[in-house]
Amino acid sequence: MKSIQSTGQSAINSIAAFGRAGLFLIQVILHRPKSISGALNLLIKQIYSVGVLSLVIIIVSGLFIGMVLGLQGYTILAKFGSEQAVGQLLALTLLRELGPVVTALLFAGRACSALTAEIGLMKATEQLSSLEMMGVDPYRRIIAPRFIAGLICLPILCIIFSAVGILGGEFVAVSWLQIHGGSFWSLMQQSVYFSTDVMNGVIKAFCFAIATTWIAVFQGYECEPTSEGIGKATTRTVVLGSLSILALDFILTAAMIGDF
Amino acid sequence: MKSKQLELMVGFFVVLGFAALAYLAIQVSGLSGASSKDVYQIQARFDDIGGLTQRAKVSIAGVTVGEVDSIVLDKELYMALVTFNIYADVQNIPTDSSLAILTNGLLGEKYVGVSIGAEEEYLTQGGELYDTQSALVLENLISQFLFESTQGD
Amino acid sequence: MSKNFVDIQNMSFYRGDRAIYKDISLQIPKGKITAVMGPSGTGKTTLLRLIGGQLMPDEGKIFLDQQNVPDLSRTELYEARKKIGMLFQSGALFTDISVFDNVAFPLREHTDFSESIIRDIVIMKLQSVGLRGAAKLMPTELSGGMARRAALARAIALDPQLVMFDEPFAGQDPISMGVVMELILRLNQSVGMTSVLVSHDVEESLSIADYAYILSGGGVVAQGTPDEIRHSSDERVKQFLGGLPDGPVPFHFEANDYKLDMDMGGQGK
């Protein structure tokens, strides 16, 4: 009986938290900056810490994943005598699925956990309180720039990931496995449509960005202002963020393939 | 971190993003494609185009001379009406040449091969080729094979 | 009415079922140093947050310069906060910018002053807390005492009418404590800044305060000038001032009968 009660309790708590998160998001969107140049400065700083600092992990991961895809793809396609289609396989897999999803997962782990920890630490050291007491809106100054930076950076990172992956795959396929460069590219170009494949990937990345960055800043803002609390909040960001990426991916893919 | 350095890095980041996007657009999805070349258009009707798609290559003796521009249904004749963009420097395709939809390898791309005819007159803008061979559809081949094998018993 | 900068009337504040404050009334007179003291856990920091509008009382009114804080809209509240400077227990400097930028922060946010004017003001404020030479340092490079002084410079950057100090003496060595006391006195005497300090350091607080309140159990148990407080006959005041381990605030946390507990442990004997 007690376990049923506690399950019900945690369900109610989750829904309440979701509601608070929704209100939080509305607050973040509504709090427009006072001056454009000031806001831009804050935004640039955040784009640096969220985007530029993630470049290394994204590029390295993209390169390796692209190369592995090229290798594995070749091995399987060779059984059908269709090695030349490896370019097609590589591009479509990266652009439609792996690009957005892997980039978002890496982003959730690296950038979003940092966001949560940063905001949580500001809360714990009373920096957020002192901002409020100084008559400065923490939503405008701290939360909103980080949120917008996330929305901007993840799609860019996703595009870079896909491009680097394809380069890596091309290196493996053409230079190493001796696939004909001409057919590698022409097959790929024939089967990849910019408006659907590339843009869908970017749209997915944008949706993932909204979900993960929202979770990250909310967890940071709501966390218990102790070192333990920050740790828990960071973990929650990564776990919830990753799960929502995967769930959203399924929903978006189903919607994009359509006809259901 | 000085703010100038910061702005530089962020600018670099955004430029890198755009460069990657341009790379994806041009190299990977062939967006700008071969539209830089001058082309003239010809048409042909097929019974079954199989898996032929837009931008599929048209080749003579294995050399690419153009691509598929559009595929629509001819509602009166119930055939596929395909429009081709042929490069302007290939002026000498005889009017009785035939077109066949071929496959590059087992899972490869579909392309259109031109078998040169014997006429003296050449195709020009808006011309049409009437001798066409449909794509080999696997199911038809299999049913044909089964039909023939049962016939033999 | 006008001689009190802050006037709290019949305020109650609950956390869950617990009453942090029950029907409490207290006034902070203008231009004076008021000390709010009491044992740990009585919610003294909560009081400062209620005055600043970070928390809403469940009942009663809190008048800040004649405006009832709970009634203010978000914009009005942010405007009102410009009249207050708050010094947090940990200083709460922004760790990503230098000391100079920290002190300049409220100026850049709330005024249109040019950079050269801002620079002059920041240097003046840092000079008054004795940290002019530390302007270029980052908060992580400061000792605890210096961080607090820098935070004080930031709190007074806009020349507020009220400054609130949250445990300014907590965990300080005697020299730093002397510095803080000196600064509080100086600010009050030079510009007539109303000061509220929340603390449980009895001697330090009483030595500089003009008026003091002792809170316990959600209400005021004593108020008056430091002399009046020192000569109070209330048992709770005497325990607090005297630092007596046992009295109205008991030494033992509520527990069973001692003998019973021991017997249950020693059944083998």
Side-chain angles (χ1 to χ4, degrees):
Chain A
M1 190 43 75
K2 252 206 164 164
S3 54
I4 299 179
Q5 241 182 336
S6 58
T7 320
Q9 189 62 39
S10 35
I12 294 177
N13 284 343
S14 310
I15 297 179
F18 198 67
R20 280 200 306 278
L23 286 172
F24 178 79
L25 184 65
I26 294 176
Q27 294 273 41
V28 173
I29 296 176
L30 284 182
H31 283 229
R32 259 168 279 110
K34 257 202 309 198
S35 73
I36 295 294
S37 63
L40 211 61
N41 259 331
L42 289 172
L43 187 62
I44 287 181
K45 221 176 166 193
Q46 288 313 311
I47 292 182
Y48 177 79
S49 94
V50 166
V52 177
L53 292 181
S54 306
L55 261 184
V56 176
I57 190 176
I58 295 295
I59 290 182
V60 173
S61 310
L63 198 64
F64 279 114
I65 288 184
M67 295 200 289
V68 166
L69 262 182
L71 203 52
Q72 292 277 25
Y74 177 86
T75 318
I76 295 178
L77 289 172
K79 295 191 186 152
F80 298 93
S82 305
E83 309 85 35
Q84 290 162 343
V86 74
Q88 192 176 350
L89 171 78
L90 182 69
L92 288 176
T93 315
L94 276 173
L95 287 171
R96 288 183 187 167
E97 282 305 319
L98 286 190
V101 174
V102 174
T103 311
L105 286 174
L106 291 171
F107 185 78
R110 195 248 128 216
C112 291
S113 61
L115 277 181
T116 304
E118 205 184 344
I119 298 178
L121 196 64
M122 284 187 158
K123 189 176 186 199
T125 51
E126 295 180 301
Q127 287 180 46
L128 290 183
S129 282
S130 59
L131 267 180
E132 278 187 352
M133 290 304 266
M134 268 190 262
V136 174
D137 188 359
Y139 284 117
R140 181 168 54 81
R141 193 175 177 79
I142 305 283
I143 313 283
R146 287 169 169 79
F147 184 70
I148 310 259
L151 294 188
I152 293 178
C153 288
L154 187 51
I156 294 182
L157 288 170
C158 167
I159 294 174
I160 294 177
F161 183 93
S162 299
V164 170
I166 291 174
L167 276 173
E170 190 231 357
F171 172 74
V172 164
V174 176
S175 313
W176 188 16
L177 295 170
Q178 304 295 326
I179 291 185
H180 186 243
S183 23
F184 178 87
W185 289 114
S186 69
L187 265 169
M188 187 196 293
Q189 284 176 0
Q190 245 202 347
S191 49
V192 174
Y193 290 107
F194 185 79
S195 51
T196 43
D197 297 312
V198 178
M199 285 324 281
N200 278 352
V202 175
I203 292 173
K204 273 193 187 177
F206 189 71
C207 294
F208 295 155
I210 296 178
T212 48
T213 322
W214 177 16
I215 291 175
V217 294
F218 179 67
Q219 289 297 332
Y221 193 75
E222 277 246 316
C223 76
E224 293 251 334
T226 60
S227 47
E228 199 189 75
I230 295 176
K232 277 201 210 153
T234 317
T235 315
R236 233 177 287 140
T237 292
V238 177
V239 172
L240 276 180
S242 307
L243 290 177
S244 53
I245 290 170
L246 296 171
L248 268 177
D249 181 49
F250 175 71
I251 295 174
L252 287 170
T253 309
M256 285 169 183
I257 295 188
D259 297 347
F260 292 129
Chain B
M1 168 85 27
K2 293 256 182 321
S3 74
K4 263 286 174 286
Q5 221 178 339
L6 207 79
E7 285 174 16
L8 210 68
M9 298 292 279
V10 171
F12 169 71
F13 177 69
V14 175
V15 166
L16 192 65
F18 275 114
L21 189 65
Y23 176 75
L24 288 179
I26 297 172
Q27 183 70 339
V28 173
S29 57
L31 200 61
S32 50
S35 46
S36 46
K37 283 191 161 162
D38 281 333
V39 293
Y40 64 96
Q41 294 199 323
I42 62 170
Q43 293 192 322
R45 289 181 169 74
F46 293 84
D47 284 318
D48 195 334
I49 53 161
L52 192 70
T53 56
Q54 244 189 333
R55 285 192 276 133
K57 302 231 180 306
V58 179
S59 68
I60 299 178
V63 178
T64 305
V65 296
E67 60 176 24
V68 172
D69 181 54
S70 64
I71 303 173
V72 293
L73 178 67
D74 183 335
K75 299 212 175 82
E76 285 160 32
L77 295 173
Y78 296 102
M79 292 173 84
L81 175 62
V82 183
T83 312
F84 301 94
N85 292 335
I86 307 292
Y87 299 151
D89 52 0
V90 180
Q91 293 282 6
N92 51 346
I93 304 178
T95 47
D96 66 338
S97 307
S98 68
L99 294 176
I101 300 181
L102 304 167
T103 314
N104 211 348
L106 193 60
L107 287 180
E109 53 179 316
K110 289 273 192 288
Y111 68 99
V112 176
V114 184
S115 297
I116 299 297
E119 283 279 345
E120 294 275 312
E121 229 182 283
Y122 295 137
L123 281 176
T124 51
Q125 166 73 27
E128 184 170 345
L129 287 173
Y130 298 98
D131 189 358
T132 62
Q133 214 177 73
S134 300
L136 281 175
V137 182
L138 210 56
E139 293 81 12
N140 293 346
L141 267 180
I142 292 176
S143 60
Q144 200 174 20
F145 175 69
L146 288 173
F147 182 63
E148 279 169 10
S149 59
T150 53
Q151 281 264 304
D153 289 345
Chain C
M1 205 27 116
S2 59
K3 70 178 182 72
N4 292 322
F5 195 76
V6 177
D7 195 347
I8 299 178
Q9 296 176 352
N10 306 104
M11 191 264 292
S12 299
F13 180 73
Y14 295 89
R15 254 218 186 100
D17 289 329
R18 245 184 74 204
I20 310 283
Y21 289 110
K22 196 102 178 53
D23 200 25
I24 190 175
S25 296
L26 63 87
Q27 293 81 36
I28 310 285
K30 250 192 209 174
K32 303 257 184 277
I33 301 177
T34 309
V36 175
M37 300 187 285
S40 303
T42 42
K44 304 191 290 294
T45 313
T46 313
L47 186 66
L48 294 182
R49 287 184 199 265
L50 284 161
I51 296 176
Q54 275 188 320
L55 297 169
M56 288 288 136
D58 293 296
E59 284 162 16
K61 296 188 194 294
I62 302 177
F63 286 99
L64 181 69
D65 201 16
Q66 271 134 179
Q67 285 178 304
N68 188 9
V69 170
D71 286 340
L72 297 176
S73 72
R74 203 183 168 89
T75 351
E76 288 170 342
L77 186 59
Y78 276 95
E79 276 302 305
R81 282 186 181 153
K82 290 186 204 168
K83 300 184 215 165
I84 317 176
M86 177 137 167
L87 181 60
F88 288 86
Q89 196 168 346
S90 54
L93 291 173
F94 303 132
T95 46
D96 51 337
I97 52 182
S98 69
V99 167
F100 182 92
D101 289 321
N102 262 283
V103 181
F105 184 80
L107 294 165
R108 290 186 180 134
E109 279 293 314
H110 292 305
T111 66
D112 288 323
F113 295 156
S114 69
E115 272 306 302
S116 59
I117 296 184
I118 289 181
R119 190 180 172 276
D120 290 341
I121 299 180
V122 171
I123 299 289
M124 270 200 300
K125 300 296 176 192
L126 284 175
Q127 174 75 354
S128 64
V129 300
L131 284 181
R132 189 164 53 93
K136 294 276 181 284
L137 295 178
M138 297 297 283
T140 41
E141 295 170 319
L142 301 174
S143 72
M146 289 167 71
R148 225 177 269 200
R149 282 194 272 164
L152 178 58
R154 184 180 66 178
I156 57 171
L158 288 175
D159 287 317
Q161 296 169 284
L162 169 69
V163 180
M164 303 197 282
F165 297 86
D166 190 3
E167 303 278 3
F169 310 122
Q172 300 273 60
D173 64 85
I175 300 178
S176 313
M177 246 196 262
V179 169
V180 176
M181 280 163 55
E182 174 67 22
L183 286 172
I184 297 178
L185 272 172
R186 237 196 264 171
L187 281 173
N188 173 250
Q189 283 160 2
S190 57
V191 291
M193 209 177 270
T194 311
S195 309
V196 181
L197 57 97
V198 156
S199 176
H200 48 64
D201 287 303
V202 173
E203 270 320 302
E204 287 75 20
S205 310
L206 288 180
S207 68
I208 57 173
D210 297 313
Y211 201 77
Y213 289 89
I214 301 192
L215 307 179
S216 180
V220 179
V221 299
Q223 53 175 293
T225 64
D227 274 334
E228 288 169 5
I229 300 253
R230 284 202 190 97
H231 294 110
S232 163
S233 52
D234 190 315
E235 280 302 311
R236 292 172 289 184
V237 177
K238 278 204 225 163
Q239 184 193 11
F240 184 66
L241 292 181
L244 303 170
D246 207 5
V249 177
F251 178 70
H252 286 289
F253 196 71
E254 228 174 273
N256 292 333
D257 189 68
Y258 188 42
K259 189 161 188 297
L260 235 55
D261 249 356
M262 288 295 280
D263 278 342
M264 284 160 82
Q267 267 175 1
K269 299 211 179 115

